[in-house]
Amino acid sequence: MDLFWSGLVRRASDHTRNERRSQFSKVFEKAIGDIEMQKISKNQL
């Protein structure tokens, strides 16, 4: 029974780690996109 719970906890921690990583990459991609849009708008002035 302990083996079952330890496996469940390990799987849950892996899932939350992957979820955090994907959220961070989405935020990072959005920030890069915003910076690129600012550069484009400055070049058009």
Side-chain angles (χ1 to χ4, degrees), residues 8-23:
L8 197 63
V9 168
R10 189 181 315 115
R11 211 169 319 138
S13 68
D14 288 345
H15 178 70
T16 54
R17 190 179 309 127
N18 290 339
E19 193 67 29
R20 252 184 266 126
R21 186 181 303 136
S22 70
Q23 287 175 355

Side-chain angles (χ1 to χ4, degrees), residues 17-41:
R17 190 179 309 127
N18 290 339
E19 193 67 29
R20 252 184 266 126
R21 186 181 303 136
S22 70
Q23 287 175 355
F24 177 75
S25 67
K26 287 176 191 170
V27 169
F28 194 64
E29 287 173 14
K30 182 169 176 10
I32 290 174
D34 290 346
I35 291 169
E36 289 175 347
M37 289 299 289
Q38 287 175 353
K39 285 182 179 178
I40 290 170
S41 65

